[in-house]
Amino acid sequence: MAKSHKPLGTVEQVEAAYYDALSHADIEALMALWAEDDEIVCIHPGAPRLVGHAAIRASWEAIFERGGVHIRPVQLHAAHNLMSAVHNVIEDVGSGPHEGGDMHILATNVYLKTPHGWRLTMHHASIAPGKMPEAQSAAPVLH
Amino acid sequence: MAKSHKPLGTVEQVEAAYYDALSHADIEALMALWAEDDEIVCIHPGAPRLVGHAAIRASWEAIFERGGVHIRPVQLHAAHNLMSAVHNVIEDVGSGPHEGGDMHILATNVYLKTPHGWRLTMHHASIAPGKMPEAQSAAPVLH
């Protein structure tokens, strides 16, 4: 839980803290990263949308009953301005049910700068067909 | 096509112009609404993510070969600050294959304020199970 108490001065720190809280099934650390806004939205893969803190918290509490969720966000594409950051990542779930199979998970995470710093306002995850694509930013093939 | 040349001073106007361009299969109007940024992302329901203007344009051109796409965005939830707006809507596709069935489409549309005004930087659509939920803002039942 210690990591969640680091100062979260950047979007990257908030995103790292988010996936860290998932891995530790730390519901308090997780919920502290969301904006204090009734309009926050969370969509789990293949599930209906959840709006507001109570519904989102309840969904993660149910997931955490089975333990932490180990996700490595990879292949980030980001657009941002001074007050917002829009991240899209592929969620590498390692040895989970989607690993190496015929699907992968895409997630949009949107962060807004609030009076309390950068906070998550939207998490939209969904299932895409096919294996995770190769990273386009991989080192170039030399020959 | 006339609507796409209206001044687009608000996020709501850009979102309306987006769904209007889809309904008219107007690729030029559609692409003009996106931010001039290599990191723009578009995810069609059940499809891999597309990054950048060329890939996104090609996907819509392929869809438009079958004509316009008639979508009514409903049940908006929005979070925003001075420079960004995060919209999540249910995409009512009317008489399409998803209508009245056991699924509905959720879409996250993120708009950033750019030097050229409000522009779309992310469209993430996905399929959710079950019929479209009842609007929570519907008039209360009287008895």
Side-chain angles (χ1 to χ4, degrees), chain B residues 36-69:
Chain B
E36 294 177 0
D37 187 326
D38 291 339
E39 292 285 280
I40 59 174
V41 171
C42 180
I43 300 170
H44 297 291
R49 73 175 171 184
L50 305 170
V51 181
H53 278 260
I56 294 171
R57 184 186 183 99
S59 75
W60 283 111
E61 285 178 336
I63 291 167
F64 289 166
E65 287 180 4
R66 303 191 300 271
V69 181

mmCIF file of all heavy atoms in Angstrom, chain B residues 36-69:
data_model
loop_
_atom_site.group_PDB
_atom_site.id
_atom_site.type_symbol
_atom_site.label_atom_id
_atom_site.label_comp_id
_atom_site.label_asym_id
_atom_site.label_seq_id
_atom_site.Cartn_x
_atom_site.Cartn_y
_atom_site.Cartn_z
ATOM 1 N N GLU B 36 -5.536 17.456 -34.985
ATOM 2 C CA GLU B 36 -4.372 17.264 -35.859
ATOM 3 C C GLU B 36 -3.235 16.716 -35.005
ATOM 4 O O GLU B 36 -2.336 17.446 -34.592
ATOM 5 C CB GLU B 36 -3.988 18.590 -36.513
ATOM 6 C CG GLU B 36 -5.050 19.105 -37.466
ATOM 7 C CD GLU B 36 -4.715 20.449 -38.055
ATOM 8 O OE1 GLU B 36 -3.637 20.993 -37.725
ATOM 9 O OE2 GLU B 36 -5.528 20.966 -38.831
ATOM 10 N N ASP B 37 -3.302 15.432 -34.755
ATOM 11 C CA ASP B 37 -2.386 14.811 -33.798
ATOM 12 C C ASP B 37 -2.200 13.363 -34.238
ATOM 13 O O ASP B 37 -3.183 12.663 -34.495
ATOM 14 C CB ASP B 37 -3.025 14.880 -32.395
ATOM 15 C CG ASP B 37 -2.101 14.411 -31.283
ATOM 16 O OD1 ASP B 37 -1.300 13.489 -31.507
ATOM 17 O OD2 ASP B 37 -2.197 14.976 -30.181
ATOM 18 N N ASP B 38 -0.956 12.930 -34.320
ATOM 19 C CA ASP B 38 -0.691 11.553 -34.760
ATOM 20 C C ASP B 38 -1.215 10.526 -33.762
ATOM 21 O O ASP B 38 -1.325 9.346 -34.090
ATOM 22 C CB ASP B 38 0.816 11.335 -34.931
ATOM 23 C CG ASP B 38 1.375 12.112 -36.102
ATOM 24 O OD1 ASP B 38 0.588 12.481 -36.992
ATOM 25 O OD2 ASP B 38 2.595 12.356 -36.112
ATOM 26 N N GLU B 39 -1.529 10.982 -32.548
ATOM 27 C CA GLU B 39 -1.899 10.044 -31.486
ATOM 28 C C GLU B 39 -3.407 9.858 -31.343
ATOM 29 O O GLU B 39 -3.861 9.266 -30.359
ATOM 30 C CB GLU B 39 -1.313 10.528 -30.154
ATOM 31 C CG GLU B 39 0.199 10.468 -30.082
ATOM 32 C CD GLU B 39 0.694 9.037 -29.890
ATOM 33 O OE1 GLU B 39 0.670 8.554 -28.762
ATOM 34 O OE2 GLU B 39 1.097 8.409 -30.897
ATOM 35 N N ILE B 40 -4.193 10.371 -32.264
ATOM 36 C CA ILE B 40 -5.633 10.136 -32.176
ATOM 37 C C ILE B 40 -5.916 8.643 -32.314
ATOM 38 O O ILE B 40 -5.230 7.927 -33.051
ATOM 39 C CB ILE B 40 -6.422 10.944 -33.223
ATOM 40 C CG1 ILE B 40 -5.992 10.600 -34.645
ATOM 41 C CG2 ILE B 40 -6.281 12.444 -32.954
ATOM 42 C CD1 ILE B 40 -6.836 11.268 -35.731
ATOM 43 N N VAL B 41 -6.930 8.178 -31.581
ATOM 44 C CA VAL B 41 -7.240 6.746 -31.526
ATOM 45 C C VAL B 41 -8.726 6.541 -31.796
ATOM 46 O O VAL B 41 -9.576 7.274 -31.272
ATOM 47 C CB VAL B 41 -6.879 6.151 -30.146
ATOM 48 C CG1 VAL B 41 -7.394 4.725 -30.017
ATOM 49 C CG2 VAL B 41 -5.361 6.181 -29.930
ATOM 50 N N CYS B 42 -9.034 5.535 -32.604
ATOM 51 C CA CYS B 42 -10.418 5.158 -32.876
ATOM 52 C C CYS B 42 -10.544 3.643 -32.727
ATOM 53 O O CYS B 42 -9.771 2.888 -33.327
ATOM 54 C CB CYS B 42 -10.808 5.586 -34.292
ATOM 55 S SG CYS B 42 -12.515 5.179 -34.742
ATOM 56 N N ILE B 43 -11.491 3.236 -31.905
ATOM 57 C CA ILE B 43 -11.750 1.810 -31.712
ATOM 58 C C ILE B 43 -13.211 1.554 -32.053
ATOM 59 O O ILE B 43 -14.110 2.026 -31.362
ATOM 60 C CB ILE B 43 -11.446 1.379 -30.265
ATOM 61 C CG1 ILE B 43 -9.967 1.648 -29.931
ATOM 62 C CG2 ILE B 43 -11.786 -0.103 -30.056
ATOM 63 C CD1 ILE B 43 -9.624 1.476 -28.461
ATOM 64 N N HIS B 44 -13.434 0.824 -33.137
ATOM 65 C CA HIS B 44 -14.790 0.421 -33.503
ATOM 66 C C HIS B 44 -15.186 -0.786 -32.636
ATOM 67 O O HIS B 44 -14.314 -1.533 -32.173
ATOM 68 C CB HIS B 44 -14.848 0.050 -34.988
ATOM 69 C CG HIS B 44 -14.544 1.197 -35.918
ATOM 70 N ND1 HIS B 44 -15.396 2.265 -36.063
ATOM 71 C CD2 HIS B 44 -13.494 1.447 -36.729
ATOM 72 C CE1 HIS B 44 -14.875 3.117 -36.941
ATOM 73 N NE2 HIS B 44 -13.716 2.645 -37.362
ATOM 74 N N PRO B 45 -16.494 -0.994 -32.448
ATOM 75 C CA PRO B 45 -16.932 -2.095 -31.567
ATOM 76 C C PRO B 45 -16.365 -3.440 -32.016
ATOM 77 O O PRO B 45 -16.504 -3.826 -33.181
ATOM 78 C CB PRO B 45 -18.462 -2.076 -31.720
ATOM 79 C CG PRO B 45 -18.792 -0.675 -32.157
ATOM 80 C CD PRO B 45 -17.635 -0.238 -33.004
ATOM 81 N N GLY B 46 -15.700 -4.112 -31.098
ATOM 82 C CA GLY B 46 -15.184 -5.443 -31.386
ATOM 83 C C GLY B 46 -14.032 -5.483 -32.364
ATOM 84 O O GLY B 46 -13.739 -6.537 -32.944
ATOM 85 N N ALA B 47 -13.359 -4.360 -32.531
ATOM 86 C CA ALA B 47 -12.271 -4.287 -33.516
ATOM 87 C C ALA B 47 -10.984 -3.826 -32.838
ATOM 88 O O ALA B 47 -11.019 -3.240 -31.756
ATOM 89 C CB ALA B 47 -12.646 -3.320 -34.625
ATOM 90 N N PRO B 48 -9.851 -4.067 -33.481
ATOM 91 C CA PRO B 48 -8.579 -3.577 -32.925
ATOM 92 C C PRO B 48 -8.519 -2.062 -32.972
ATOM 93 O O PRO B 48 -9.286 -1.423 -33.690
ATOM 94 C CB PRO B 48 -7.528 -4.193 -33.860
ATOM 95 C CG PRO B 48 -8.232 -5.272 -34.602
ATOM 96 C CD PRO B 48 -9.666 -4.846 -34.702
ATOM 97 N N ARG B 49 -7.597 -1.482 -32.232
ATOM 98 C CA ARG B 49 -7.526 -0.025 -32.244
ATOM 99 C C ARG B 49 -6.797 0.481 -33.485
ATOM 100 O O ARG B 49 -5.899 -0.167 -34.013
ATOM 101 C CB ARG B 49 -6.845 0.496 -30.980
ATOM 102 C CG ARG B 49 -5.362 0.269 -30.922
ATOM 103 C CD ARG B 49 -4.762 0.948 -29.682
ATOM 104 N NE ARG B 49 -3.369 0.554 -29.527
ATOM 105 C CZ ARG B 49 -2.606 0.925 -28.505
ATOM 106 N NH1 ARG B 49 -3.112 1.690 -27.548
ATOM 107 N NH2 ARG B 49 -1.358 0.522 -28.423
ATOM 108 N N LEU B 50 -7.200 1.671 -33.877
ATOM 109 C CA LEU B 50 -6.601 2.361 -35.015
ATOM 110 C C LEU B 50 -5.985 3.641 -34.499
ATOM 111 O O LEU B 50 -6.596 4.348 -33.705
ATOM 112 C CB LEU B 50 -7.670 2.675 -36.058
ATOM 113 C CG LEU B 50 -8.479 1.465 -36.540
ATOM 114 C CD1 LEU B 50 -9.669 1.919 -37.379
ATOM 115 C CD2 LEU B 50 -7.587 0.509 -37.328
ATOM 116 N N VAL B 51 -4.776 3.941 -34.945
ATOM 117 C CA VAL B 51 -4.053 5.113 -34.471
ATOM 118 C C VAL B 51 -3.668 5.981 -35.660
ATOM 119 O O VAL B 51 -3.087 5.478 -36.637
ATOM 120 C CB VAL B 51 -2.792 4.717 -33.681
ATOM 121 C CG1 VAL B 51 -2.060 5.946 -33.166
ATOM 122 C CG2 VAL B 51 -3.153 3.779 -32.524
ATOM 123 N N GLY B 52 -3.990 7.264 -35.584
ATOM 124 C CA GLY B 52 -3.584 8.212 -36.620
ATOM 125 C C GLY B 52 -4.626 8.399 -37.703
ATOM 126 O O GLY B 52 -5.518 7.571 -37.907
ATOM 127 N N HIS B 53 -4.514 9.513 -38.405
ATOM 128 C CA HIS B 53 -5.522 9.897 -39.394
ATOM 129 C C HIS B 53 -5.686 8.876 -40.517
ATOM 130 O O HIS B 53 -6.809 8.575 -40.920
ATOM 131 C CB HIS B 53 -5.179 11.267 -39.991
ATOM 132 C CG HIS B 53 -5.612 12.408 -39.140
ATOM 133 N ND1 HIS B 53 -6.755 13.134 -39.375
ATOM 134 C CD2 HIS B 53 -5.077 12.922 -38.015
ATOM 135 C CE1 HIS B 53 -6.885 14.061 -38.445
ATOM 136 N NE2 HIS B 53 -5.879 13.963 -37.607
ATOM 137 N N ALA B 54 -4.586 8.358 -41.041
ATOM 138 C CA ALA B 54 -4.686 7.499 -42.226
ATOM 139 C C ALA B 54 -5.478 6.235 -41.922
ATOM 140 O O ALA B 54 -6.385 5.852 -42.675
ATOM 141 C CB ALA B 54 -3.287 7.158 -42.736
ATOM 142 N N ALA B 55 -5.167 5.590 -40.802
ATOM 143 C CA ALA B 55 -5.848 4.335 -40.461
ATOM 144 C C ALA B 55 -7.315 4.587 -40.128
ATOM 145 O O ALA B 55 -8.206 3.815 -40.505
ATOM 146 C CB ALA B 55 -5.142 3.663 -39.282
ATOM 147 N N ILE B 56 -7.573 5.686 -39.418
ATOM 148 C CA ILE B 56 -8.955 5.988 -39.026
ATOM 149 C C ILE B 56 -9.784 6.343 -40.257
ATOM 150 O O ILE B 56 -10.906 5.868 -40.435
ATOM 151 C CB ILE B 56 -8.969 7.118 -37.976
ATOM 152 C CG1 ILE B 56 -8.314 6.631 -36.673
ATOM 153 C CG2 ILE B 56 -10.391 7.612 -37.729
ATOM 154 C CD1 ILE B 56 -8.079 7.708 -35.627
ATOM 155 N N ARG B 57 -9.214 7.145 -41.129
ATOM 156 C CA ARG B 57 -9.918 7.522 -42.361
ATOM 157 C C ARG B 57 -10.249 6.280 -43.203
ATOM 158 O O ARG B 57 -11.376 6.125 -43.689
ATOM 159 C CB ARG B 57 -9.050 8.491 -43.162
ATOM 160 C CG ARG B 57 -9.726 9.012 -44.411
ATOM 161 C CD ARG B 57 -8.781 9.853 -45.272
ATOM 162 N NE ARG B 57 -9.493 10.384 -46.407
ATOM 163 C CZ ARG B 57 -9.987 11.623 -46.486
ATOM 164 N NH1 ARG B 57 -9.805 12.462 -45.511
ATOM 165 N NH2 ARG B 57 -10.665 12.019 -47.545
ATOM 166 N N ALA B 58 -9.286 5.403 -43.341
ATOM 167 C CA ALA B 58 -9.504 4.206 -44.167
ATOM 168 C C ALA B 58 -10.630 3.342 -43.595
ATOM 169 O O ALA B 58 -11.438 2.772 -44.338
ATOM 170 C CB ALA B 58 -8.204 3.402 -44.256
ATOM 171 N N SER B 59 -10.700 3.268 -42.265
ATOM 172 C CA SER B 59 -11.738 2.432 -41.650
ATOM 173 C C SER B 59 -13.123 2.998 -41.932
ATOM 174 O O SER B 59 -14.063 2.266 -42.245
ATOM 175 C CB SER B 59 -11.503 2.301 -40.145
ATOM 176 O OG SER B 59 -11.862 3.495 -39.451
ATOM 177 N N TRP B 60 -13.261 4.314 -41.823
ATOM 178 C CA TRP B 60 -14.576 4.922 -42.073
ATOM 179 C C TRP B 60 -14.933 4.876 -43.552
ATOM 180 O O TRP B 60 -16.101 4.706 -43.918
ATOM 181 C CB TRP B 60 -14.621 6.352 -41.531
ATOM 182 C CG TRP B 60 -14.793 6.402 -40.039
ATOM 183 C CD1 TRP B 60 -13.869 6.818 -39.128
ATOM 184 C CD2 TRP B 60 -15.942 6.001 -39.284
ATOM 185 N NE1 TRP B 60 -14.387 6.705 -37.847
ATOM 186 C CE2 TRP B 60 -15.655 6.211 -37.926
ATOM 187 C CE3 TRP B 60 -17.188 5.485 -39.631
ATOM 188 C CZ2 TRP B 60 -16.562 5.920 -36.902
ATOM 189 C CZ3 TRP B 60 -18.106 5.196 -38.624
ATOM 190 C CH2 TRP B 60 -17.784 5.416 -37.275
ATOM 191 N N GLU B 61 -13.940 5.015 -44.404
ATOM 192 C CA GLU B 61 -14.218 4.900 -45.842
ATOM 193 C C GLU B 61 -14.783 3.517 -46.157
ATOM 194 O O GLU B 61 -15.722 3.375 -46.945
ATOM 195 C CB GLU B 61 -12.950 5.179 -46.655
ATOM 196 C CG GLU B 61 -12.594 6.665 -46.715
ATOM 197 C CD GLU B 61 -11.309 6.956 -47.470
ATOM 198 O OE1 GLU B 61 -10.449 6.049 -47.567
ATOM 199 O OE2 GLU B 61 -11.145 8.094 -47.928
ATOM 200 N N ALA B 62 -14.220 2.504 -45.521
ATOM 201 C CA ALA B 62 -14.713 1.139 -45.759
ATOM 202 C C ALA B 62 -16.148 0.985 -45.243
ATOM 203 O O ALA B 62 -16.996 0.370 -45.886
ATOM 204 C CB ALA B 62 -13.782 0.127 -45.091
ATOM 205 N N ILE B 63 -16.407 1.563 -44.071
ATOM 206 C CA ILE B 63 -17.764 1.483 -43.506
ATOM 207 C C ILE B 63 -18.749 2.240 -44.395
ATOM 208 O O ILE B 63 -19.860 1.772 -44.658
ATOM 209 C CB ILE B 63 -17.765 2.056 -42.069
ATOM 210 C CG1 ILE B 63 -16.982 1.131 -41.132
ATOM 211 C CG2 ILE B 63 -19.193 2.272 -41.568
ATOM 212 C CD1 ILE B 63 -16.661 1.738 -39.776
ATOM 213 N N PHE B 64 -18.334 3.406 -44.876
ATOM 214 C CA PHE B 64 -19.230 4.260 -45.667
ATOM 215 C C PHE B 64 -19.543 3.660 -47.039
ATOM 216 O O PHE B 64 -20.472 4.126 -47.713
ATOM 217 C CB PHE B 64 -18.632 5.655 -45.834
ATOM 218 C CG PHE B 64 -18.633 6.496 -44.575
ATOM 219 C CD1 PHE B 64 -17.869 7.654 -44.491
ATOM 220 C CD2 PHE B 64 -19.401 6.133 -43.469
ATOM 221 C CE1 PHE B 64 -17.868 8.431 -43.340
ATOM 222 C CE2 PHE B 64 -19.397 6.906 -42.307
ATOM 223 C CZ PHE B 64 -18.629 8.053 -42.243
ATOM 224 N N GLU B 65 -18.782 2.670 -47.458
ATOM 225 C CA GLU B 65 -19.119 2.016 -48.737
ATOM 226 C C GLU B 65 -20.517 1.404 -48.681
ATOM 227 O O GLU B 65 -21.149 1.207 -49.710
ATOM 228 C CB GLU B 65 -18.086 0.939 -49.081
ATOM 229 C CG GLU B 65 -16.760 1.528 -49.536
ATOM 230 C CD GLU B 65 -15.748 0.454 -49.880
ATOM 231 O OE1 GLU B 65 -16.107 -0.744 -49.834
ATOM 232 O OE2 GLU B 65 -14.599 0.813 -50.186
ATOM 233 N N ARG B 66 -20.974 1.111 -47.462
ATOM 234 C CA ARG B 66 -22.326 0.568 -47.307
ATOM 235 C C ARG B 66 -23.335 1.671 -46.998
ATOM 236 O O ARG B 66 -24.485 1.390 -46.674
ATOM 237 C CB ARG B 66 -22.344 -0.466 -46.173
ATOM 238 C CG ARG B 66 -21.364 -1.619 -46.366
ATOM 239 C CD ARG B 66 -21.612 -2.735 -45.361
ATOM 240 N NE ARG B 66 -21.464 -2.293 -43.976
ATOM 241 C CZ ARG B 66 -20.316 -2.317 -43.298
ATOM 242 N NH1 ARG B 66 -19.223 -2.754 -43.871
ATOM 243 N NH2 ARG B 66 -20.257 -1.909 -42.045
ATOM 244 N N GLY B 67 -22.888 2.924 -47.024
ATOM 245 C CA GLY B 67 -23.787 4.049 -46.764
ATOM 246 C C GLY B 67 -23.554 4.649 -45.394
ATOM 247 O O GLY B 67 -22.634 4.255 -44.664
ATOM 248 N N GLY B 68 -24.385 5.627 -45.048
ATOM 249 C CA GLY B 68 -24.243 6.319 -43.778
ATOM 250 C C GLY B 68 -24.580 5.423 -42.598
ATOM 251 O O GLY B 68 -25.257 4.400 -42.734
ATOM 252 N N VAL B 69 -24.080 5.822 -41.448
ATOM 253 C CA VAL B 69 -24.311 5.078 -40.211
ATOM 254 C C VAL B 69 -25.177 5.953 -39.312
ATOM 255 O O VAL B 69 -24.753 7.046 -38.913
ATOM 256 C CB VAL B 69 -22.973 4.745 -39.525
ATOM 257 C CG1 VAL B 69 -23.217 3.951 -38.258
ATOM 258 C CG2 VAL B 69 -22.052 4.002 -40.479
#
